[in-house]
Coordinates of all heavy atoms in Angstrom, one line a residue:
A24 N -10.9 3.9 -1.4 CA -10.3 4.5 -2.7 C -11.4 5.0 -3.6 O -12.5 4.4 -3.7 CB -9.5 3.4 -3.4
S25 N -11.1 6.1 -4.2 CA -12.0 6.7 -5.2 C -11.1 7.1 -6.4 O -10.0 7.4 -6.3 CB -12.7 7.9 -4.7 OG -11.8 8.9 -4.3
G26 N -11.8 7.1 -7.6 CA -11.1 7.5 -8.8 C -10.1 6.5 -9.3 O -9.2 6.9 -10.1
Y27 N -10.2 5.2 -8.9 CA -9.3 4.2 -9.3 C -10.0 3.1 -10.0 O -10.8 2.3 -9.4 CB -8.6 3.6 -8.0 CG -7.4 2.8 -8.3 CD1 -6.1 3.4 -8.6 CD2 -7.5 1.4 -8.3 CE1 -5.0 2.6 -8.8 CE2 -6.3 0.6 -8.6 CZ -5.1 1.2 -8.8 OH -4.0 0.4 -9.1
T28 N -9.9 3.1 -11.3 CA -10.7 2.2 -12.2 C -9.9 1.1 -12.9 O -10.5 0.4 -13.7 CB -11.5 3.0 -13.2 OG1 -10.5 3.7 -14.1 CG2 -12.4 4.0 -12.6
Y29 N -8.7 0.9 -12.6 CA -7.9 -0.1 -13.2 C -8.3 -1.5 -12.8 O -8.6 -1.8 -11.6 CB -6.4 0.1 -12.9 CG -5.8 1.4 -13.4 CD1 -5.7 2.5 -12.5 CD2 -5.5 1.6 -14.7 CE1 -5.2 3.7 -13.0 CE2 -5.0 2.8 -15.2 CZ -4.8 3.8 -14.3 OH -4.3 5.0 -14.7
S30 N -8.4 -2.4 -13.7 CA -8.7 -3.8 -13.4 C -7.6 -4.6 -12.8 O -7.9 -5.5 -12.1 CB -9.2 -4.5 -14.7 OG -8.2 -4.5 -15.7
S31 N -6.4 -4.2 -13.1 CA -5.2 -4.8 -12.5 C -4.5 -3.8 -11.6 O -4.2 -2.7 -12.1 CB -4.2 -5.4 -13.5 OG -4.9 -6.4 -14.3
Y32 N -4.2 -4.2 -10.4 CA -3.7 -3.2 -9.4 C -3.0 -3.9 -8.3 O -3.1 -5.1 -8.0 CB -4.8 -2.3 -8.9 CG -5.9 -3.0 -8.2 CD1 -5.8 -3.4 -6.9 CD2 -7.0 -3.4 -8.9 CE1 -6.8 -4.1 -6.3 CE2 -8.1 -4.1 -8.3 CZ -7.9 -4.5 -7.0 OH -8.9 -5.2 -6.3
C33 N -2.3 -3.0 -7.5 CA -1.7 -3.4 -6.2 C -2.3 -2.4 -5.2 O -2.3 -1.2 -5.5 CB -0.2 -3.4 -6.2 SG 0.7 -4.5 -7.3
M34 N -2.6 -2.9 -4.0 CA -2.9 -2.0 -2.9 C -2.1 -2.5 -1.7 O -1.9 -3.7 -1.6 CB -4.4 -2.0 -2.6 CG -5.2 -1.4 -3.7 SD -6.9 -0.9 -3.3 CE -6.5 0.6 -2.3
G35 N -1.7 -1.6 -0.9 CA -0.8 -2.0 0.2 C -1.0 -1.1 1.4 O -1.5 0.0 1.3
W36 N -0.6 -1.7 2.6 CA -0.5 -0.9 3.8 C 1.0 -0.8 4.2 O 1.7 -1.8 4.1 CB -1.2 -1.6 4.9 CG -2.7 -1.5 4.8 CD1 -3.6 -2.4 4.3 CD2 -3.5 -0.4 5.3 NE1 -4.9 -2.0 4.4 CE2 -4.9 -0.7 5.0 CE3 -3.2 0.8 5.9 CZ2 -5.9 0.1 5.3 CZ3 -4.3 1.7 6.2 CH2 -5.6 1.3 5.9
F37 N 1.4 0.4 4.5 CA 2.7 0.7 4.9 C 2.7 1.4 6.2 O 1.6 1.9 6.7 CB 3.4 1.6 3.9 CG 3.6 1.0 2.5 CD1 2.5 0.8 1.6 CD2 4.9 0.6 2.1 CE1 2.7 0.2 0.4 CE2 5.1 0.0 0.9 CZ 4.0 -0.2 0.0
R38 N 3.8 1.4 6.9 CA 3.8 2.1 8.2 C 5.2 2.8 8.4 O 6.2 2.3 7.9 CB 3.5 1.2 9.4 CG 4.6 0.1 9.6 CD 4.1 -0.9 10.7 NE 5.1 -1.9 11.0 CZ 4.9 -2.9 11.8 NH1 3.7 -3.1 12.4 NH2 5.9 -3.8 12.0
Q39 N 5.2 3.8 9.2 CA 6.4 4.5 9.5 C 6.3 5.0 11.0 O 5.4 5.7 11.4 CB 6.6 5.7 8.6 CG 8.0 6.4 8.8 CD 8.3 7.4 7.7 OE1 7.4 7.9 7.1 NE2 9.6 7.6 7.5
A40 N 7.3 4.5 11.8 CA 7.4 4.9 13.2 C 8.4 6.1 13.2 O 9.3 6.2 12.4 CB 7.9 3.8 14.0
P41 N 8.3 6.9 14.3 CA 9.3 8.0 14.4 C 10.7 7.6 14.4 O 11.1 6.6 15.1 CB 8.9 8.6 15.8 CG 7.5 8.3 16.0 CD 7.3 6.9 15.3
G42 N 11.5 8.2 13.5 CA 12.9 7.9 13.4 C 13.3 6.7 12.6 O 14.4 6.2 12.6
K43 N 12.3 6.0 12.0 CA 12.5 4.8 11.2 C 12.0 5.0 9.8 O 11.3 5.9 9.5 CB 11.7 3.6 11.9 CG 12.2 3.3 13.3 CD 11.5 2.0 13.8 CE 12.0 1.6 15.1 NZ 11.3 0.4 15.6
E44 N 12.5 4.2 8.9 CA 12.1 4.2 7.5 C 10.7 3.6 7.4 O 10.3 2.8 8.1 CB 13.1 3.4 6.7 CG 14.5 3.9 6.7 CD 14.6 5.3 6.1 OE1 13.9 5.5 5.1 OE2 15.4 6.1 6.5
R45 N 10.0 4.1 6.3 CA 8.7 3.5 6.0 C 8.9 2.1 5.5 O 9.9 1.8 4.8 CB 8.1 4.3 4.9 CG 6.7 3.9 4.5 CD 6.1 4.8 3.4 NE 6.9 4.6 2.2 CZ 6.8 5.5 1.2 NH1 6.1 6.6 1.3 NH2 7.6 5.3 0.1
E46 N 8.0 1.2 5.9 CA 8.1 -0.2 5.5 C 6.8 -0.7 5.1 O 5.7 -0.3 5.5 CB 8.6 -1.1 6.7 CG 7.7 -1.1 7.9 CD 8.2 -2.0 9.0 OE1 9.0 -3.0 8.7 OE2 7.7 -1.9 10.1
A47 N 6.8 -1.7 4.1 CA 5.6 -2.3 3.7 C 5.2 -3.3 4.7 O 6.0 -4.1 5.3 CB 5.9 -3.1 2.3
V48 N 3.9 -3.3 5.0 CA 3.3 -4.2 6.0 C 2.6 -5.4 5.3 O 2.8 -6.5 5.6 CB 2.3 -3.4 6.9 CG1 1.6 -4.4 7.9 CG2 3.1 -2.4 7.7
A49 N 1.7 -5.0 4.4 CA 0.9 -6.0 3.7 C 0.4 -5.5 2.3 O 0.2 -4.3 2.2 CB -0.3 -6.5 4.5
T50 N 0.3 -6.3 1.3 CA -0.2 -5.9 0.0 C -1.2 -7.0 -0.5 O -1.1 -8.1 -0.1 CB 1.0 -5.8 -1.0 OG1 1.6 -7.0 -1.2 CG2 2.0 -4.7 -0.5
I51 N -2.0 -6.5 -1.4 CA -3.0 -7.4 -2.1 C -3.1 -6.9 -3.5 O -3.1 -5.7 -3.7 CB -4.3 -7.4 -1.3 CG1 -5.3 -8.4 -1.9 CG2 -5.0 -6.0 -1.3 CD1 -6.5 -8.7 -1.0
D52 N -3.3 -7.8 -4.4 CA -3.5 -7.4 -5.8 C -4.9 -7.7 -6.3 O -5.7 -8.2 -5.5 CB -2.4 -8.1 -6.7 CG -2.6 -9.6 -6.9 OD1 -3.6 -10.2 -6.5 OD2 -1.6 -10.2 -7.4
S53 N -5.1 -7.4 -7.6 CA -6.5 -7.6 -8.1 C -6.9 -9.0 -8.2 O -8.1 -9.3 -8.3 CB -6.5 -7.0 -9.5 OG -5.4 -7.4 -10.3

């Protein structure tokens, strides 16, 4: 990540397979 200077935040990994909706896989906060 670049240009992201907030002290409080969420970051996450999402995935999308063909023909399926995007889904959250894992998240981590500050």
Side-chain angles (χ1 to χ4, degrees):
S25 62
Y27 195 81
T28 59
Y29 299 100
S30 58
S31 298
Y32 58 83
C33 296
M34 297 196 72
W36 286 97
F37 296 75
R38 67 186 181 187
Q39 186 168 27
K43 297 184 178 180
E44 298 294 324
R45 184 180 65 198
E46 63 175 340
V48 175
T50 63
I51 189 167
D52 69 12
S53 47

